[in-house]
PDB file of all heavy atoms in Angstrom:
ATOM      1  N   LEU A  13     -15.553 136.567  -2.549  1.00  0.00           N
ATOM      2  CA  LEU A  13     -16.716 135.939  -1.834  1.00  0.00           C
ATOM      3  C   LEU A  13     -16.269 135.038  -0.800  1.00  0.00           C
ATOM      4  O   LEU A  13     -15.326 134.150  -1.105  1.00  0.00           O
ATOM      5  CB  LEU A  13     -17.619 135.143  -2.888  1.00  0.00           C
ATOM      6  CG  LEU A  13     -18.665 134.283  -2.254  1.00  0.00           C
ATOM      7  CD1 LEU A  13     -19.764 135.096  -1.510  1.00  0.00           C
ATOM      8  CD2 LEU A  13     -19.321 133.420  -3.390  1.00  0.00           C
ATOM      9  N   SER A  14     -16.599 135.101   0.481  1.00  0.00           N
ATOM     10  CA  SER A  14     -16.387 134.203   1.480  1.00  0.00           C
ATOM     11  C   SER A  14     -17.661 133.800   2.271  1.00  0.00           C
ATOM     12  O   SER A  14     -18.440 134.585   2.392  1.00  0.00           O
ATOM     13  CB  SER A  14     -15.225 134.745   2.442  1.00  0.00           C
ATOM     14  OG  SER A  14     -15.706 135.958   3.020  1.00  0.00           O
ATOM     15  N   TYR A  15     -17.578 132.478   2.652  1.00  0.00           N
ATOM     16  CA  TYR A  15     -18.673 131.998   3.437  1.00  0.00           C
ATOM     17  C   TYR A  15     -18.028 131.127   4.585  1.00  0.00           C
ATOM     18  O   TYR A  15     -17.208 130.236   4.389  1.00  0.00           O
ATOM     19  CB  TYR A  15     -19.549 131.057   2.504  1.00  0.00           C
ATOM     20  CG  TYR A  15     -20.472 130.255   3.344  1.00  0.00           C
ATOM     21  CD1 TYR A  15     -21.672 130.834   3.822  1.00  0.00           C
ATOM     22  CD2 TYR A  15     -20.239 128.925   3.656  1.00  0.00           C
ATOM     23  CE1 TYR A  15     -22.677 130.061   4.522  1.00  0.00           C
ATOM     24  CE2 TYR A  15     -21.158 128.148   4.424  1.00  0.00           C
ATOM     25  CZ  TYR A  15     -22.258 128.684   4.802  1.00  0.00           C
ATOM     26  OH  TYR A  15     -23.157 127.923   5.633  1.00  0.00           O
ATOM     27  N   SER A  16     -18.581 131.416   5.716  1.00  0.00           N
ATOM     28  CA  SER A  16     -18.158 130.593   6.970  1.00  0.00           C
ATOM     29  C   SER A  16     -19.462 130.239   7.692  1.00  0.00           C
ATOM     30  O   SER A  16     -20.269 131.092   8.088  1.00  0.00           O
ATOM     31  CB  SER A  16     -17.252 131.473   7.807  1.00  0.00           C
ATOM     32  OG  SER A  16     -16.761 130.687   8.826  1.00  0.00           O
ATOM     33  N   GLY A  17     -19.740 128.940   7.799  1.00  0.00           N
ATOM     34  CA  GLY A  17     -20.865 128.344   8.332  1.00  0.00           C
ATOM     35  C   GLY A  17     -20.974 126.947   8.087  1.00  0.00           C
ATOM     36  O   GLY A  17     -19.918 126.336   7.869  1.00  0.00           O
ATOM     37  N   HIS A  18     -22.132 126.340   8.340  1.00  0.00           N
ATOM     38  CA  HIS A  18     -22.267 124.987   8.071  1.00  0.00           C
ATOM     39  C   HIS A  18     -22.314 124.654   6.531  1.00  0.00           C
ATOM     40  O   HIS A  18     -22.854 125.323   5.761  1.00  0.00           O
ATOM     41  CB  HIS A  18     -23.522 124.457   8.688  1.00  0.00           C
ATOM     42  CG  HIS A  18     -23.534 124.155  10.142  1.00  0.00           C
ATOM     43  ND1 HIS A  18     -22.627 123.261  10.839  1.00  0.00           N
ATOM     44  CD2 HIS A  18     -24.158 124.588  11.220  1.00  0.00           C
ATOM     45  CE1 HIS A  18     -22.759 123.181  12.004  1.00  0.00           C
ATOM     46  NE2 HIS A  18     -23.719 124.125  12.358  1.00  0.00           N
ATOM     47  N   GLY A  19     -21.710 123.571   6.191  1.00  0.00           N
ATOM     48  CA  GLY A  19     -21.749 122.895   4.996  1.00  0.00           C
ATOM     49  C   GLY A  19     -22.325 121.548   5.017  1.00  0.00           C
ATOM     50  O   GLY A  19     -22.072 120.900   6.088  1.00  0.00           O
ATOM     51  N   GLY A  20     -23.031 121.104   4.059  1.00  0.00           N
ATOM     52  CA  GLY A  20     -23.680 119.678   4.147  1.00  0.00           C
ATOM     53  C   GLY A  20     -23.483 119.076   2.778  1.00  0.00           C
ATOM     54  O   GLY A  20     -22.716 119.587   1.933  1.00  0.00           O
ATOM     55  N   GLN A  21     -24.303 118.009   2.610  1.00  0.00           N
ATOM     56  CA  GLN A  21     -24.300 117.279   1.393  1.00  0.00           C
ATOM     57  C   GLN A  21     -25.694 116.685   1.135  1.00  0.00           C
ATOM     58  O   GLN A  21     -26.382 116.342   2.157  1.00  0.00           O
ATOM     59  CB  GLN A  21     -23.318 116.102   1.342  1.00  0.00           C
ATOM     60  CG  GLN A  21     -21.835 116.544   1.375  1.00  0.00           C
ATOM     61  CD  GLN A  21     -20.838 115.387   1.343  1.00  0.00           C
ATOM     62  OE1 GLN A  21     -21.044 114.436   1.848  1.00  0.00           O
ATOM     63  NE2 GLN A  21     -19.982 115.499   0.369  1.00  0.00           N
ATOM     64  N   VAL A  22     -26.120 116.670  -0.103  1.00  0.00           N
ATOM     65  CA  VAL A  22     -27.346 116.004  -0.460  1.00  0.00           C
ATOM     66  C   VAL A  22     -26.972 114.948  -1.638  1.00  0.00           C
ATOM     67  O   VAL A  22     -25.995 115.188  -2.337  1.00  0.00           O
ATOM     68  CB  VAL A  22     -28.399 117.015  -0.898  1.00  0.00           C
ATOM     69  CG1 VAL A  22     -28.761 117.955   0.252  1.00  0.00           C
ATOM     70  CG2 VAL A  22     -27.892 117.746  -2.087  1.00  0.00           C
ATOM     71  N   ARG A  23     -27.954 114.046  -1.714  1.00  0.00           N
ATOM     72  CA  ARG A  23     -27.756 112.954  -2.738  1.00  0.00           C
ATOM     73  C   ARG A  23     -27.687 113.660  -4.122  1.00  0.00           C
ATOM     74  O   ARG A  23     -28.459 114.526  -4.484  1.00  0.00           O
ATOM     75  CB  ARG A  23     -28.926 112.070  -2.645  1.00  0.00           C
ATOM     76  CG  ARG A  23     -28.769 110.951  -1.610  1.00  0.00           C
ATOM     77  CD  ARG A  23     -27.741 109.964  -2.131  1.00  0.00           C
ATOM     78  NE  ARG A  23     -27.600 108.900  -1.081  1.00  0.00           N
ATOM     79  CZ  ARG A  23     -26.724 107.978  -1.204  1.00  0.00           C
ATOM     80  NH1 ARG A  23     -25.776 107.820  -2.206  1.00  0.00           N
ATOM     81  NH2 ARG A  23     -26.685 106.935  -0.250  1.00  0.00           N
ATOM     82  N   ASN A  24     -26.770 113.189  -4.918  1.00  0.00           N
ATOM     83  CA  ASN A  24     -26.546 113.764  -6.323  1.00  0.00           C
ATOM     84  C   ASN A  24     -27.343 112.672  -7.349  1.00  0.00           C
ATOM     85  O   ASN A  24     -27.127 111.452  -7.248  1.00  0.00           O
ATOM     86  CB  ASN A  24     -25.108 113.778  -6.727  1.00  0.00           C
ATOM     87  CG  ASN A  24     -24.847 113.990  -8.122  1.00  0.00           C
ATOM     88  OD1 ASN A  24     -24.791 113.019  -8.861  1.00  0.00           O
ATOM     89  ND2 ASN A  24     -24.845 115.175  -8.611  1.00  0.00           N
ATOM     90  N   ASP A  25     -28.281 113.219  -7.949  1.00  0.00           N
ATOM     91  CA  ASP A  25     -29.071 112.440  -8.891  1.00  0.00           C
ATOM     92  C   ASP A  25     -28.518 112.306 -10.428  1.00  0.00           C
ATOM     93  O   ASP A  25     -29.079 111.603 -11.172  1.00  0.00           O
ATOM     94  CB  ASP A  25     -30.584 112.915  -9.092  1.00  0.00           C
ATOM     95  CG  ASP A  25     -31.222 112.850  -7.695  1.00  0.00           C
ATOM     96  OD1 ASP A  25     -30.879 111.962  -6.882  1.00  0.00           O
ATOM     97  OD2 ASP A  25     -32.017 113.823  -7.380  1.00  0.00           O
ATOM     98  N   ASP A  26     -27.466 113.199 -10.609  1.00  0.00           N
ATOM     99  CA  ASP A  26     -26.892 113.235 -12.036  1.00  0.00           C
ATOM    100  C   ASP A  26     -25.905 111.979 -12.274  1.00  0.00           C
ATOM    101  O   ASP A  26     -25.634 111.680 -13.459  1.00  0.00           O
ATOM    102  CB  ASP A  26     -26.208 114.570 -12.347  1.00  0.00           C
ATOM    103  CG  ASP A  26     -27.160 115.697 -12.201  1.00  0.00           C
ATOM    104  OD1 ASP A  26     -28.325 115.436 -12.479  1.00  0.00           O
ATOM    105  OD2 ASP A  26     -26.795 116.704 -11.852  1.00  0.00           O
ATOM    106  N   GLY A  27     -25.373 111.495 -11.160  1.00  0.00           N
ATOM    107  CA  GLY A  27     -24.430 110.340 -11.356  1.00  0.00           C
ATOM    108  C   GLY A  27     -23.018 110.847 -11.761  1.00  0.00           C
ATOM    109  O   GLY A  27     -22.114 110.136 -12.144  1.00  0.00           O
ATOM    110  N   ASP A  28     -22.712 112.281 -11.611  1.00  0.00           N
ATOM    111  CA  ASP A  28     -21.475 112.702 -11.963  1.00  0.00           C
ATOM    112  C   ASP A  28     -20.455 113.118 -10.798  1.00  0.00           C
ATOM    113  O   ASP A  28     -19.521 113.701 -11.071  1.00  0.00           O
ATOM    114  CB  ASP A  28     -21.694 114.057 -12.835  1.00  0.00           C
ATOM    115  CG  ASP A  28     -22.428 115.187 -12.055  1.00  0.00           C
ATOM    116  OD1 ASP A  28     -22.732 114.882 -10.932  1.00  0.00           O
ATOM    117  OD2 ASP A  28     -22.555 116.217 -12.635  1.00  0.00           O
ATOM    118  N   ARG A  29     -20.808 112.707  -9.549  1.00  0.00           N
ATOM    119  CA  ARG A  29     -20.053 112.930  -8.412  1.00  0.00           C
ATOM    120  C   ARG A  29     -19.387 111.551  -8.014  1.00  0.00           C
ATOM    121  O   ARG A  29     -20.203 110.600  -7.675  1.00  0.00           O
ATOM    122  CB  ARG A  29     -20.731 113.625  -7.430  1.00  0.00           C
ATOM    123  CG  ARG A  29     -21.329 114.896  -7.827  1.00  0.00           C
ATOM    124  CD  ARG A  29     -20.467 115.812  -8.565  1.00  0.00           C
ATOM    125  NE  ARG A  29     -19.168 116.251  -7.808  1.00  0.00           N
ATOM    126  CZ  ARG A  29     -18.108 116.201  -8.378  1.00  0.00           C
ATOM    127  NH1 ARG A  29     -17.932 115.947  -9.730  1.00  0.00           N
ATOM    128  NH2 ARG A  29     -17.033 116.576  -7.815  1.00  0.00           N
ATOM    129  N   PRO A  30     -18.194 111.474  -7.787  1.00  0.00           N
ATOM    130  CA  PRO A  30     -17.518 110.179  -7.412  1.00  0.00           C
ATOM    131  C   PRO A  30     -18.080 109.695  -6.028  1.00  0.00           C
ATOM    132  O   PRO A  30     -18.144 108.573  -5.696  1.00  0.00           O
ATOM    133  CB  PRO A  30     -16.068 110.377  -7.292  1.00  0.00           C
ATOM    134  CG  PRO A  30     -15.888 111.689  -8.205  1.00  0.00           C
ATOM    135  CD  PRO A  30     -17.102 112.411  -8.162  1.00  0.00           C
ATOM    136  N   LEU A  31     -18.359 110.590  -5.153  1.00  0.00           N
ATOM    137  CA  LEU A  31     -18.827 110.283  -3.752  1.00  0.00           C
ATOM    138  C   LEU A  31     -20.412 110.147  -3.651  1.00  0.00           C
ATOM    139  O   LEU A  31     -20.967 109.818  -2.592  1.00  0.00           O
ATOM    140  CB  LEU A  31     -18.524 111.281  -2.661  1.00  0.00           C
ATOM    141  CG  LEU A  31     -16.957 111.584  -2.652  1.00  0.00           C
ATOM    142  CD1 LEU A  31     -16.714 112.537  -1.543  1.00  0.00           C
ATOM    143  CD2 LEU A  31     -16.147 110.353  -2.435  1.00  0.00           C
ATOM    144  N   GLY A  32     -21.182 110.504  -4.835  1.00  0.00           N
ATOM    145  CA  GLY A  32     -22.557 110.266  -4.922  1.00  0.00           C
ATOM    146  C   GLY A  32     -23.413 111.466  -4.200  1.00  0.00           C
ATOM    147  O   GLY A  32     -24.581 111.315  -4.059  1.00  0.00           O
ATOM    148  N   PHE A  33     -22.736 112.615  -3.801  1.00  0.00           N
ATOM    149  CA  PHE A  33     -23.344 113.611  -3.182  1.00  0.00           C
ATOM    150  C   PHE A  33     -22.887 115.071  -3.821  1.00  0.00           C
ATOM    151  O   PHE A  33     -21.882 115.099  -4.396  1.00  0.00           O
ATOM    152  CB  PHE A  33     -22.936 113.729  -1.619  1.00  0.00           C
ATOM    153  CG  PHE A  33     -23.286 112.569  -0.918  1.00  0.00           C
ATOM    154  CD1 PHE A  33     -22.515 111.451  -0.657  1.00  0.00           C
ATOM    155  CD2 PHE A  33     -24.626 112.540  -0.265  1.00  0.00           C
ATOM    156  CE1 PHE A  33     -22.874 110.404   0.148  1.00  0.00           C
ATOM    157  CE2 PHE A  33     -25.074 111.393   0.396  1.00  0.00           C
ATOM    158  CZ  PHE A  33     -24.197 110.422   0.621  1.00  0.00           C
ATOM    159  N   ASP A  34     -23.830 116.000  -3.679  1.00  0.00           N
ATOM    160  CA  ASP A  34     -23.659 117.458  -3.962  1.00  0.00           C
ATOM    161  C   ASP A  34     -23.217 118.056  -2.697  1.00  0.00           C
ATOM    162  O   ASP A  34     -23.973 117.892  -1.710  1.00  0.00           O
ATOM    163  CB  ASP A  34     -24.709 118.091  -4.657  1.00  0.00           C
ATOM    164  CG  ASP A  34     -24.863 117.648  -6.160  1.00  0.00           C
ATOM    165  OD1 ASP A  34     -23.817 117.243  -6.811  1.00  0.00           O
ATOM    166  OD2 ASP A  34     -25.933 117.678  -6.707  1.00  0.00           O
ATOM    167  N   ASP A  35     -22.305 119.053  -2.670  1.00  0.00           N
ATOM    168  CA  ASP A  35     -21.947 119.845  -1.578  1.00  0.00           C
ATOM    169  C   ASP A  35     -23.071 120.871  -1.504  1.00  0.00           C
ATOM    170  O   ASP A  35     -23.694 121.242  -2.424  1.00  0.00           O
ATOM    171  CB  ASP A  35     -20.655 120.494  -1.677  1.00  0.00           C
ATOM    172  CG  ASP A  35     -19.443 119.434  -1.684  1.00  0.00           C
ATOM    173  OD1 ASP A  35     -19.730 118.412  -1.334  1.00  0.00           O
ATOM    174  OD2 ASP A  35     -18.349 119.872  -2.157  1.00  0.00           O
ATOM    175  N   THR A  36     -23.338 121.445  -0.189  1.00  0.00           N
ATOM    176  CA  THR A  36     -24.249 122.405   0.097  1.00  0.00           C
ATOM    177  C   THR A  36     -23.692 123.433   1.118  1.00  0.00           C
ATOM    178  O   THR A  36     -22.840 123.078   1.812  1.00  0.00           O
ATOM    179  CB  THR A  36     -25.529 121.884   0.626  1.00  0.00           C
ATOM    180  OG1 THR A  36     -25.334 121.233   1.906  1.00  0.00           O
ATOM    181  CG2 THR A  36     -26.155 120.815  -0.273  1.00  0.00           C
ATOM    182  N   ILE A  37     -24.353 124.560   1.111  1.00  0.00           N
ATOM    183  CA  ILE A  37     -24.199 125.566   2.340  1.00  0.00           C
ATOM    184  C   ILE A  37     -25.465 125.684   2.942  1.00  0.00           C
ATOM    185  O   ILE A  37     -26.484 125.400   2.391  1.00  0.00           O
ATOM    186  CB  ILE A  37     -23.567 126.843   1.919  1.00  0.00           C
ATOM    187  CG1 ILE A  37     -24.463 127.607   0.868  1.00  0.00           C
ATOM    188  CG2 ILE A  37     -22.081 126.605   1.258  1.00  0.00           C
ATOM    189  CD1 ILE A  37     -23.978 129.034   0.687  1.00  0.00           C
ATOM    190  N   CYS A  38     -25.439 126.136   4.278  1.00  0.00           N
ATOM    191  CA  CYS A  38     -26.659 126.177   4.957  1.00  0.00           C
ATOM    192  C   CYS A  38     -26.887 127.586   5.544  1.00  0.00           C
ATOM    193  O   CYS A  38     -26.343 128.026   6.458  1.00  0.00           O
ATOM    194  CB  CYS A  38     -26.479 125.286   6.263  1.00  0.00           C
ATOM    195  SG  CYS A  38     -26.338 123.482   5.809  1.00  0.00           S
ATOM    196  N   PRO A  39     -27.878 128.232   4.802  1.00  0.00           N
ATOM    197  CA  PRO A  39     -28.210 129.495   5.271  1.00  0.00           C
ATOM    198  C   PRO A  39     -28.917 129.518   6.699  1.00  0.00           C
ATOM    199  O   PRO A  39     -29.159 128.420   7.289  1.00  0.00           O
ATOM    200  CB  PRO A  39     -29.399 129.979   4.294  1.00  0.00           C
ATOM    201  CG  PRO A  39     -29.248 129.026   3.155  1.00  0.00           C
ATOM    202  CD  PRO A  39     -28.644 127.821   3.611  1.00  0.00           C
ATOM    203  N   VAL A  40     -29.019 130.641   7.359  1.00  0.00           N
ATOM    204  CA  VAL A  40     -29.494 130.546   8.724  1.00  0.00           C
ATOM    205  C   VAL A  40     -30.931 130.003   8.858  1.00  0.00           C
ATOM    206  O   VAL A  40     -31.196 129.326   9.767  1.00  0.00           O
ATOM    207  CB  VAL A  40     -29.537 132.040   9.317  1.00  0.00           C
ATOM    208  CG1 VAL A  40     -30.624 132.879   8.576  1.00  0.00           C
ATOM    209  CG2 VAL A  40     -29.873 132.027  10.714  1.00  0.00           C
ATOM    210  N   ASP A  41     -31.605 129.977   7.669  1.00  0.00           N
ATOM    211  CA  ASP A  41     -33.035 129.456   7.641  1.00  0.00           C
ATOM    212  C   ASP A  41     -33.101 128.087   6.915  1.00  0.00           C
ATOM    213  O   ASP A  41     -34.148 127.746   6.277  1.00  0.00           O
ATOM    214  CB  ASP A  41     -34.033 130.490   7.057  1.00  0.00           C
ATOM    215  CG  ASP A  41     -33.726 130.876   5.602  1.00  0.00           C
ATOM    216  OD1 ASP A  41     -32.565 130.523   5.214  1.00  0.00           O
ATOM    217  OD2 ASP A  41     -34.571 131.219   4.931  1.00  0.00           O
ATOM    218  N   PHE A  42     -31.996 127.371   6.926  1.00  0.00           N
ATOM    219  CA  PHE A  42     -31.928 126.221   6.073  1.00  0.00           C
ATOM    220  C   PHE A  42     -32.997 125.026   6.456  1.00  0.00           C
ATOM    221  O   PHE A  42     -33.531 124.409   5.704  1.00  0.00           O
ATOM    222  CB  PHE A  42     -30.648 125.590   6.133  1.00  0.00           C
ATOM    223  CG  PHE A  42     -30.160 124.868   7.302  1.00  0.00           C
ATOM    224  CD1 PHE A  42     -30.413 123.430   7.419  1.00  0.00           C
ATOM    225  CD2 PHE A  42     -29.679 125.452   8.355  1.00  0.00           C
ATOM    226  CE1 PHE A  42     -29.953 122.716   8.523  1.00  0.00           C
ATOM    227  CE2 PHE A  42     -29.181 124.745   9.456  1.00  0.00           C
ATOM    228  CZ  PHE A  42     -29.285 123.496   9.623  1.00  0.00           C
ATOM    229  N   ARG A  43     -33.451 125.230   7.873  1.00  0.00           N
ATOM    230  CA  ARG A  43     -34.424 124.153   8.160  1.00  0.00           C
ATOM    231  C   ARG A  43     -35.774 124.482   7.545  1.00  0.00           C
ATOM    232  O   ARG A  43     -36.565 123.535   7.252  1.00  0.00           O
ATOM    233  CB  ARG A  43     -34.600 124.197   9.765  1.00  0.00           C
ATOM    234  CG  ARG A  43     -33.514 123.594  10.603  1.00  0.00           C
ATOM    235  CD  ARG A  43     -33.534 122.029  10.419  1.00  0.00           C
ATOM    236  NE  ARG A  43     -32.858 121.382  11.466  1.00  0.00           N
ATOM    237  CZ  ARG A  43     -32.737 120.033  11.335  1.00  0.00           C
ATOM    238  NH1 ARG A  43     -33.259 119.283  10.520  1.00  0.00           N
ATOM    239  NH2 ARG A  43     -32.010 119.515  12.399  1.00  0.00           N
ATOM    240  N   GLU A  44     -36.117 125.673   7.365  1.00  0.00           N
ATOM    241  CA  GLU A  44     -37.318 126.022   6.639  1.00  0.00           C
ATOM    242  C   GLU A  44     -37.263 126.133   5.131  1.00  0.00           C
ATOM    243  O   GLU A  44     -38.148 125.649   4.393  1.00  0.00           O
ATOM    244  CB  GLU A  44     -37.751 127.382   7.238  1.00  0.00           C
ATOM    245  CG  GLU A  44     -38.045 127.453   8.795  1.00  0.00           C
ATOM    246  CD  GLU A  44     -36.880 127.517   9.595  1.00  0.00           C
ATOM    247  OE1 GLU A  44     -35.823 128.125   9.107  1.00  0.00           O
ATOM    248  OE2 GLU A  44     -36.864 127.089  10.759  1.00  0.00           O
ATOM    249  N   SER A  45     -36.186 126.633   4.715  1.00  0.00           N
ATOM    250  CA  SER A  45     -35.949 127.079   3.248  1.00  0.00           C
ATOM    251  C   SER A  45     -34.997 126.031   2.440  1.00  0.00           C
ATOM    252  O   SER A  45     -35.009 126.094   1.335  1.00  0.00           O
ATOM    253  CB  SER A  45     -35.442 128.471   3.010  1.00  0.00           C
ATOM    254  OG  SER A  45     -36.385 129.287   3.702  1.00  0.00           O
ATOM    255  N   GLY A  46     -34.292 125.219   3.223  1.00  0.00           N
ATOM    256  CA  GLY A  46     -33.469 124.208   2.605  1.00  0.00           C
ATOM    257  C   GLY A  46     -32.079 124.656   2.373  1.00  0.00           C
ATOM    258  O   GLY A  46     -31.703 125.857   2.645  1.00  0.00           O
ATOM    259  N   GLN A  47     -31.173 123.812   2.150  1.00  0.00           N
ATOM    260  CA  GLN A  47     -29.751 124.034   1.732  1.00  0.00           C
ATOM    261  C   GLN A  47     -29.568 124.559   0.372  1.00  0.00           C
ATOM    262  O   GLN A  47     -30.445 124.370  -0.456  1.00  0.00           O
ATOM    263  CB  GLN A  47     -28.893 122.778   2.140  1.00  0.00           C
ATOM    264  CG  GLN A  47     -29.090 122.270   3.436  1.00  0.00           C
ATOM    265  CD  GLN A  47     -28.363 120.886   3.628  1.00  0.00           C
ATOM    266  OE1 GLN A  47     -27.136 120.759   3.236  1.00  0.00           O
ATOM    267  NE2 GLN A  47     -29.046 119.967   4.203  1.00  0.00           N
ATOM    268  N   ILE A  48     -28.501 125.320   0.086  1.00  0.00           N
ATOM    269  CA  ILE A  48     -28.207 125.674  -1.321  1.00  0.00           C
ATOM    270  C   ILE A  48     -27.251 124.759  -1.835  1.00  0.00           C
ATOM    271  O   ILE A  48     -26.114 124.670  -1.252  1.00  0.00           O
ATOM    272  CB  ILE A  48     -27.760 127.201  -1.224  1.00  0.00           C
ATOM    273  CG1 ILE A  48     -28.782 128.095  -0.585  1.00  0.00           C
ATOM    274  CG2 ILE A  48     -27.452 127.658  -2.626  1.00  0.00           C
ATOM    275  CD1 ILE A  48     -28.237 129.522  -0.395  1.00  0.00           C
ATOM    276  N   THR A  49     -27.581 124.185  -2.929  1.00  0.00           N
ATOM    277  CA  THR A  49     -26.561 123.085  -3.475  1.00  0.00           C
ATOM    278  C   THR A  49     -25.591 123.678  -4.305  1.00  0.00           C
ATOM    279  O   THR A  49     -25.666 124.896  -4.872  1.00  0.00           O
ATOM    280  CB  THR A  49     -27.386 122.091  -4.382  1.00  0.00           C
ATOM    281  OG1 THR A  49     -27.920 122.759  -5.581  1.00  0.00           O
ATOM    282  CG2 THR A  49     -28.625 121.573  -3.618  1.00  0.00           C
ATOM    283  N   SER A  50     -24.590 122.885  -4.586  1.00  0.00           N
ATOM    284  CA  SER A  50     -23.375 123.401  -5.342  1.00  0.00           C
ATOM    285  C   SER A  50     -23.903 123.732  -6.846  1.00  0.00           C
ATOM    286  O   SER A  50     -23.321 124.744  -7.494  1.00  0.00           O
ATOM    287  CB  SER A  50     -22.387 122.220  -5.516  1.00  0.00           C
ATOM    288  OG  SER A  50     -22.918 120.962  -5.911  1.00  0.00           O
ATOM    289  N   GLU A  51     -24.774 123.025  -7.434  1.00  0.00           N
ATOM    290  CA  GLU A  51     -25.158 123.438  -8.798  1.00  0.00           C
ATOM    291  C   GLU A  51     -25.855 124.824  -8.686  1.00  0.00           C
ATOM    292  O   GLU A  51     -25.576 125.622  -9.637  1.00  0.00           O
ATOM    293  CB  GLU A  51     -26.158 122.394  -9.355  1.00  0.00           C
ATOM    294  CG  GLU A  51     -26.572 122.711 -10.623  1.00  0.00           C
ATOM    295  CD  GLU A  51     -27.473 121.738 -11.334  1.00  0.00           C
ATOM    296  OE1 GLU A  51     -27.630 120.701 -10.931  1.00  0.00           O
ATOM    297  OE2 GLU A  51     -28.197 122.051 -12.380  1.00  0.00           O
ATOM    298  N   VAL A  52     -26.772 124.961  -7.665  1.00  0.00           N
ATOM    299  CA  VAL A  52     -27.382 126.207  -7.623  1.00  0.00           C
ATOM    300  C   VAL A  52     -26.372 127.314  -7.431  1.00  0.00           C
ATOM    301  O   VAL A  52     -26.377 128.425  -8.049  1.00  0.00           O
ATOM    302  CB  VAL A  52     -28.429 126.261  -6.409  1.00  0.00           C
ATOM    303  CG1 VAL A  52     -29.004 127.635  -6.185  1.00  0.00           C
ATOM    304  CG2 VAL A  52     -29.552 125.312  -6.767  1.00  0.00           C
ATOM    305  N   LEU A  53     -25.429 127.101  -6.595  1.00  0.00           N
ATOM    306  CA  LEU A  53     -24.469 128.180  -6.314  1.00  0.00           C
ATOM    307  C   LEU A  53     -23.582 128.504  -7.514  1.00  0.00           C
ATOM    308  O   LEU A  53     -23.281 129.613  -7.870  1.00  0.00           O
ATOM    309  CB  LEU A  53     -23.392 127.584  -5.237  1.00  0.00           C
ATOM    310  CG  LEU A  53     -23.938 127.630  -3.750  1.00  0.00           C
ATOM    311  CD1 LEU A  53     -22.931 127.009  -2.786  1.00  0.00           C
ATOM    312  CD2 LEU A  53     -24.266 129.095  -3.344  1.00  0.00           C
ATOM    313  N   HIS A  54     -23.286 127.541  -8.463  1.00  0.00           N
ATOM    314  CA  HIS A  54     -22.475 127.707  -9.570  1.00  0.00           C
ATOM    315  C   HIS A  54     -23.384 128.530 -10.467  1.00  0.00           C
ATOM    316  O   HIS A  54     -22.833 129.503 -11.195  1.00  0.00           O
ATOM    317  CB  HIS A  54     -22.071 126.276 -10.318  1.00  0.00           C
ATOM    318  CG  HIS A  54     -21.274 126.591 -11.583  1.00  0.00           C
ATOM    319  ND1 HIS A  54     -19.978 126.387 -11.566  1.00  0.00           N
ATOM    320  CD2 HIS A  54     -21.592 127.078 -12.790  1.00  0.00           C
ATOM    321  CE1 HIS A  54     -19.526 126.712 -12.773  1.00  0.00           C
ATOM    322  NE2 HIS A  54     -20.495 127.103 -13.508  1.00  0.00           N
TER     323      HIS A  54
END
């Protein structure tokens, strides 16, 4: 599996990330449908 595109971050509400954010990837329609978070990807 490979992905090349924009990556982002959103606030993490679980308190389990040292930086306070979850990583995300940005589908082509992320403005309308949102980013895909690391938990969803896992």
